[in-house]
Amino acid sequence: MIDRDGYRPNVGIIICNWKNEVFWGKRVKEHSWQFPQGGIKAGETPERAMYRELHEEVGLAAEHVRILGRTRDWLRYEVPEQWVRREWRGNYKGQNLRASEKPEFDAWRWNDYWVPLASVIEFKRDVYQLALNELAKFLHRNPHERRPNVASAP
């Protein structure tokens, strides 16, 4: 599913714990960290895609999280030519940001919300900064609540 501008609709998920730390996953066989994310399938809502990706990539179900907020608009990043999967080459140029048999992460960690983004792959850094800035207003106000929260790009 590619939009008219050549972008693949996608959800990006910021998981925040009760200490206002965010979940980072390290891509399998790569040295870059990212939030869980994935494409929206035809006929799927962004919220449904978010829950599917949370389950596939992190093993969380809807009852394990609560949605705190989402970005006002779609956020975009351009995927450099060398990163586009061969079977998609020429079909899309980037992605819109909003427990698997084939894991996408081989490590994970909790970091402070405002951790420097140097460990994020370069072409995603600006959009991650935009999302974190916009969604910061949803950080925990009650540090005693222990259920993870999520905020996503639509």
Side-chain angles (χ1 to χ4, degrees), residues 10-16 21-27 32-38 53-54 57-58 77 97-98 104-105 109 111-115 117 120-121 124-125 127-133 135 151-152:
N10 181 288
V11 291
I13 308 156
I14 298 173
I15 304 171
C16 185
E21 296 170 327
V22 292
F23 174 93
W24 289 92
K26 188 178 94 45
R27 298 289 299 189
S32 63
W33 294 79
Q34 70 175 59
F35 298 132
Q37 70 176 71
E53 291 294 336
L54 275 175
E57 295 188 7
V58 186
Y77 64 81
L97 287 182
R98 280 276 230 181
E104 295 191 31
F105 301 136
R109 66 183 181 206
N111 276 0
D112 290 335
Y113 191 86
W114 295 113
V115 68
L117 299 177
V120 174
I121 196 157
K124 292 183 183 180
R125 288 179 191 156
V127 79
Y128 272 41
Q129 189 67 54
L130 289 170
L132 287 166
N133 285 340
L135 297 171
S152 68

Side-chain angles (χ1 to χ4, degrees), residues 37-147:
Q37 70 176 71
I40 299 173
K41 295 179 180 181
E44 190 174 46
T45 66
E47 185 173 313
R48 184 66 215 131
M50 180 201 68
Y51 286 125
R52 178 180 48 74
E53 291 294 336
L54 275 175
H55 184 262
E56 289 175 3
E57 295 188 7
V58 186
L60 293 173
E63 61 268 16
H64 298 134
V65 299
R66 94 182 142 99
I67 298 173
L68 294 177
R70 60 180 359 141
T71 58
R72 286 183 308 274
D73 296 312
W74 288 99
L75 304 177
R76 294 180 172 183
Y77 64 81
E78 302 267 334
V79 177
E81 191 69 26
Q82 68 269 22
W83 289 94
V84 177
R85 285 193 204 164
R86 289 192 190 283
E87 66 269 20
W88 291 348
R89 196 170 305 281
N91 291 335
Y92 82 101
K93 62 182 180 180
Q95 295 191 337
N96 284 335
L97 287 182
R98 280 276 230 181
S100 175
E101 292 178 20
K102 188 176 179 184
E104 295 191 31
F105 301 136
D106 60 12
W108 52 89
R109 66 183 181 206
W110 290 100
N111 276 0
D112 290 335
Y113 191 86
W114 295 113
V115 68
L117 299 177
S119 62
V120 174
I121 196 157
E122 187 175 327
F123 66 87
K124 292 183 183 180
R125 288 179 191 156
D126 289 343
V127 79
Y128 272 41
Q129 189 67 54
L130 289 170
L132 287 166
N133 285 340
E134 185 174 339
L135 297 171
K137 64 187 172 195
F138 297 110
L139 289 173
H140 271 290
R141 304 292 183 242
N142 180 0
H144 302 294
E145 185 175 337
R146 306 265 178 185
R147 202 166 97 175

